[in-house]
Structure formats: structure tokens, C-alpha cells
Amino acid sequence: MEDYLAMLADLAVRYGPRLLGGVVVTLQLVGISLALGGMMSVPLALARLSRNPVLRLPAFAYVFFFRGTPLLAQIYLIYYGSGQFRAAFEQAGLWWFFRDAWYCALLAFTLNTGAYTAEIVRGGIQGVPLGDIEAARACGMSGFTLYRRIILPTAYRIALPAYGNEIILMVKSSSIASIITIFDLMGETKLAFSRSFRLEVYLMAAALYLVITLSFEWVWARLERWLNPQREAPDLKAPDLQPPAALVEPQRQ
Amino acid sequence: MKKFGTLMLAAAALALGMGAATAAETTIRIATEGAYPPFNQKNADGTLSGFDVDIANALCEKMKAKCTIVAQDWDGIIPGLLAKKYDAIVASMSITEERKKTIDFSDKYYNTPARFAVGKTSGITDVSPEGMKGKTIGAQSSTIHANYLEAKYKGTATIKLYATIDEANADLAAGRIDAHLADSIVELAFLDGKDGGCCAFAGPDFKDPAFFGDGVGVGLRKEDGKLKAEINAAIKAILADGTYKKLNDKYFPFSIY
């Protein structure tokens, strides 16, 4: 037992710093791709909902493709696919971007999460009660103001839990970056495993992923409570939620 | 209750029968990578072939053992052996001190040097750590080549590690890496192939035993001393009776022993 603990400590000392370096890479990749994907999502969702087919159909095709194919295939297509067409990319002056595995991973993640987030935002927009919109119109709001003041704020609140889910999925999916030579948390873990042959490094990596998702869940729970106080589970024992005495079955004497 | 009894009997009979079958002829399960031509590769129909596979079959024939050969990704090939998913690794694995801490090896069955392949547009002529300053260089991960890059080039060049040789060669051809350190014969197969025009060998052969080991052997669990003795005897036998030379000549115009 003591030997085992000493071995674990040795593993942590030897590979811990590299794994933490991997955490930084993972957080950067996920953070930036979520930010960029989030920015894409609202215009995309609006295009998806547009009555104009010139807007609606391309947005639909984009979402359809990126939600319907595995992220693994997307990242392979972008990384090794672009490698096959180096000359064309060089001519277009884009090779510096596609040469770098990190940019390729960022592009794949952004496009992927952008598609999912667009659908989440669309669901939120469609979930806005019609009465709210009617009331806003009655007050004279229309177009941009209506979206800015009424529809989008409500849509964000409706979409919040689903979006939290997407972020957690993204943190875990980002481990795929390791297959295109990026030393994110998973990449560093694989390297540590191939050097030490100790399965425990995967446990260490799992623990680190858990720390990331747990701390994020903590933040998200607070954000949800702040933005959606009405959604908090009601306290059924509260005095003002008790039925009036007249409705309670009379107790048998 | 009666039914249960019959069931138990049937199960016992089955177990006994299986025991008898394994006792009659030893089955040795062998792992290879299947992505390392010309030493081992998966064919279009899913079967495995290559020099390693032929050697494994020749050894089994000499040992009068029944062998099954399975493909296993390189990264997990030693853990799989330790987990007893198979009994031996015949996958061009170099015998190194580092690996000997975890597993055991038979005697060598071939030994070839490592060499850099460089992109023709990379401008690399000097492959020393100073000559590669600022370049991006790659190797397959968990290999002697990767260890060598990490040990010698870490300060001067950017190192990228790949799961398979094919992926590293694809990035060499695409110009994502300027140089690729690999086994010279494996790299020769790539350079002679249809995508090999991009690149050429540069610099000397690398043989330093401290990094590159003493040739390639069959990987075995440390406790399987008996199997090791049998395999060593079989290697001697195929070297002596000309089987080895026949297989060598089938793949290579010079001796790789």
C-alpha cells in the first residue's frame, strides 16, 4: 500500500506539471471556440428562423452537417484534408492558418459548437411566449428593439440550461484535439501513459476533467439562479403554499 | 432444482472440454500494430501481413504452436501485453533499457538504423540539434524515435508526435513538419511510394544503443520465461535453416539482421 502511494506520488510529480499544462491548452481551446461559436449562433439562429430561403437554407445546411457528423471526422477533414490541398491554401494565403494544428482544432470546435449553439438559441427564441411579443408590439416595439429588449433576453434565459450542457459536452469533446498532435489534457495524458504504462494517469486526467466540469457547473448553477429566479424549485412546506384549511380533509376525531 | 443441476453439469462439461482443448495444443496470441509497412500492415480484406507477421508465423511453426495474430494500436501495445490480452508482441519493437523495466524481450530478430526524412523545401542539410534550430520535427509517439527527439532536440526544435507513421508522413508531405525521424526502412517505403516525392533522406544513420536499443525483439511478459526460451530457440532455428533468409529476401535486397 505504501509502495503504491509512493508510486502515485512519483507519477504526480513526474507528470502532474505537464497535465496541468494540458489543462491550460484545453481551457484555451474550449474557451475561445465557445466564444466564437456563441457569436455565430445568434445570426445563425435568426437565419434558420427566417422566412427568406436564401438565409434559411444555407443556415439549415450548415447546422445539419455539423450536428449530423462526428466531431472526430470534422477535425480529421479539416486537418488532414487541408494538408492534401496545401498548394491551393498557399495560393489563397491561408496556409499559415491550416499548417498549425491548434488553429485547425479551434476551427473545427468553433464550427461544431456554433451549429449546436445556434439550435439552442433557436429553441430559446421559439420558446418566448407569444403574449410577451404581442404586448411588446402593443407598446409600439418592433424589429430590432423587440429582439433586443424582449425576445433575446427571454430566449437566453430559456436556453441557459441547454447551453450549459453544450459547454460541458465541449469540454469533454475537446479531448479529440489530441489526435492531431495537440498536447491538450488528453494529449499529455496519452504521452504520460505511453511513458509510464500506468493506468493511473488516466484516472488523474479524469479527475482533472471532473474538476473543470464541476467548477463550471457551480458557476452555471449560480448564473441560472440569478437569471431565472422563478425557476427555483418551490419550497412546498412554505406557509403561503399550504392549501386553505377549508380544503383540507377534516381529521377524524 | 433438477434443471439447475443439469445446467451445472453442462457448464462443467463445457469447461472441462475447453480445458482439454487448450492443453492439447498451446495457442499463443500475438499482437502486431498493423500500420507499419513493410514490417506489418493491414490488408484491404482485414488480414495482417508484412515481415513481422511472416516472422511470427515462422516462429510459431518452429515451436509447433497454434498462433493467432491480432492488430493493436501502438500506444496501447505494452499495456495490452501486461493485461494478458495477448502473450507476445511481434511489432518491430526495439529492445531498449526503458522498456525492459516493464517487459522482457527475446533475442533480436532484426536491426535497422533510424534516419531523418526531410521535406525538399525545408532547406535542412544539417540534422544536428543546432542545424534544426527553429524547425518543426516529428516522430511516432511512444517510440525510440520520439524519445530521441525529446532528449536531443527539445531545446531547439518544435516536436510533434503522431499516433501512427502514416499520419507523421502525411504531415511531412504537407509541410507541417520539416523533418521526420523514423526507422530507415519504413521511411524508405514511404519515400519510394507515390507521396514520397516531397521528401528525401538527410543526415547519417542513428544507431546509438542508449536510445535506439539493440535491435528489434519479441516483447514478452517478464514472468513468461519459458515462452522466451522457446522463442529464442525458434529464432536460432529459423536463422540456421534458411527460413529467415528467405523471408528477408522476400522484402529487402540486403540483410536486415
Side-chain angles (χ1 to χ4, degrees):
Chain A
M1 186 65 197
E2 246 170 58
D3 282 357
Y4 186 72
L5 288 180
M7 190 278 299
L8 275 190
D10 181 52
L11 268 187
V13 169
R14 205 145 15 123
Y15 300 111
R18 291 200 66 147
L19 291 190
L20 290 179
V23 169
V24 173
V25 175
T26 292
L27 290 179
Q28 278 173 343
L29 267 177
V30 172
I32 299 175
S33 61
L34 282 172
L36 295 176
M39 281 187 237
M40 287 163 56
S41 66
V42 175
L44 261 173
L46 293 178
R48 241 336 233 110
L49 290 168
S50 164
R51 289 208 187 89
N52 182 351
V54 179
L55 290 173
R56 192 178 66 234
L57 293 179
F60 173 79
Y62 165 78
V63 169
F64 181 73
F65 178 79
F66 280 95
R67 282 208 318 168
T69 56
L71 180 57
L72 182 67
Q74 291 162 16
I75 204 168
Y76 250 96
L77 263 179
I78 290 174
Y79 186 72
Y80 287 108
S82 65
Q84 303 266 308
F85 300 103
R86 179 186 173 180
F89 281 104
E90 264 177 347
Q91 239 167 13
L94 291 170
W95 180 243
W96 63 270
F97 183 90
F98 286 95
R99 185 178 197 260
D100 193 323
W102 196 86
Y103 286 130
C104 287
L106 190 70
L107 179 65
F109 290 171
T110 301
L111 291 175
N112 188 275
T113 190
Y116 276 96
T117 312
E119 282 301 274
I120 292 169
V121 173
R122 179 181 67 90
I125 291 174
Q126 288 181 318
V128 176
L130 275 180
D132 292 11
I133 298 174
E134 266 174 40
R137 282 199 199 284
C139 292
M141 278 186 227
S142 65
F144 185 72
T145 319
L146 176 65
Y147 266 97
R148 186 174 62 84
R149 285 216 187 139
I150 306 295
I151 298 182
L152 286 181
T154 312
Y156 286 144
R157 284 170 166 77
I158 295 171
L160 207 57
Y163 187 55
N165 218 1
E166 163 62 13
I167 295 178
I168 287 181
L169 284 175
M170 206 56 222
V171 169
K172 293 184 294 180
S173 308
S174 71
S175 59
I176 279 178
S178 65
I179 63 158
I180 58 164
T181 75
I182 292 174
F183 288 109
D184 68 333
L185 177 50
M186 197 63 194
E188 292 288 4
T189 307
K190 280 183 176 168
L191 191 70
F193 179 64
S194 74
R195 299 259 167 86
S196 63
F197 307 116
R198 301 298 318 194
L199 225 47
E200 285 83 355
V201 293
Y202 278 108
L203 281 179
M204 284 159 62
L208 287 171
Y209 274 112
L210 270 178
V211 168
I212 297 175
T213 49
L214 270 179
S215 34
F216 166 76
E217 271 174 40
W218 186 84
V219 171
W220 212 251
R222 252 149 203 76
L223 192 65
E224 276 185 38
R225 218 179 299 159
W226 177 55
L227 286 175
N228 290 327
Q230 79 284 4
R231 279 208 193 157
E232 199 143 2
D235 176 9
L236 294 175
K237 297 252 167 67
D240 55 336
L241 281 181
Q242 297 312 312
L247 287 179
V248 179
E249 222 178 293
Q251 299 282 310
R252 233 176 269 163
Q253 292 292 327
Chain B
M1 196 58 214
K2 201 178 163 198
K3 245 189 190 159
F4 178 72
T6 329
L7 213 73
M8 285 299 285
L9 263 175
L14 206 73
L16 273 174
M18 272 162 57
T22 42
E25 50 182 17
T26 42
T27 303
I28 304 174
R29 293 162 302 166
I30 296 174
T32 196
E33 187 195 358
Y36 202 64
F39 290 103
N40 58 71
Q41 69 246 11
K42 237 185 227 149
N43 303 320
D45 60 358
T47 55
L48 292 158
S49 65
F51 184 72
D52 284 327
V53 177
D54 286 352
I55 286 285
N57 284 325
L59 294 178
C60 290
E61 203 174 297
K62 277 281 172 289
M63 294 190 292
K64 304 221 174 355
K66 194 171 168 288
C67 289
T68 52
I69 304 182
V70 295
Q72 160 70 50
D73 282 347
W74 183 252
D75 267 344
I77 206 160
I78 288 180
L81 177 73
L82 299 176
K84 305 204 168 160
K85 289 187 171 173
Y86 33 82
D87 310 303
I89 299 170
V90 186
S92 293
M93 185 176 276
S94 298
I95 306 165
T96 64
E97 288 307 315
E98 199 188 344
R99 288 183 180 133
K100 274 195 206 160
K101 286 181 204 154
T102 321
I103 60 171
D104 206 354
F105 283 98
S106 73
D107 298 336
K108 72 157 184 174
Y109 63 89
Y110 80 81
N111 191 3
T112 51
R115 222 175 155 194
F116 272 110
V118 301
K120 283 178 181 162
T121 54
S122 70
I124 295 175
T125 45
D126 173 12
V127 299
S128 70
E130 294 74 43
M132 299 273 222
K133 207 174 169 78
K135 301 287 183 188
T136 307
I137 58 181
Q140 185 178 12
S141 78
S142 324
T143 59
I144 48 176
H145 313 109
N147 290 348
Y148 189 72
L149 292 189
E150 293 251 323
K152 300 276 184 182
Y153 292 83
K154 199 157 190 186
T156 53
T158 308
I159 297 167
K160 298 185 65 159
L161 301 179
Y162 296 84
T164 66
I165 273 288
D166 281 348
E167 287 168 3
N169 280 334
D171 266 8
L172 179 67
R176 282 203 178 99
I177 52 176
D178 301 305
H180 174 201
L181 183 65
D183 181 88
S184 52
I185 292 194
V186 170
E187 213 46 26
L188 183 65
F190 163 70
L191 292 175
D192 282 349
K194 65 175 168 57
D195 299 321
C198 62
C199 317
F201 279 124
D205 286 350
F206 290 86
K207 290 185 222 180
D208 182 359
F211 286 98
F212 297 100
D214 313 307
V216 161
V218 178
L220 300 158
R221 281 185 294 271
K222 282 191 169 173
E223 66 267 26
D224 290 348
K226 189 169 156 274
L227 183 60
K228 179 181 169 179
E230 284 174 14
I231 287 178
N232 280 341
I235 292 175
K236 275 206 186 72
I238 62 167
L239 278 166
D241 73 358
T243 313
Y244 184 93
K245 187 172 181 328
K246 219 173 76 204
L247 293 178
N248 185 111
D249 295 349
K250 178 177 159 194
Y251 291 94
F252 314 109
F254 45 88
S255 170
I256 62 166
Y257 183 71

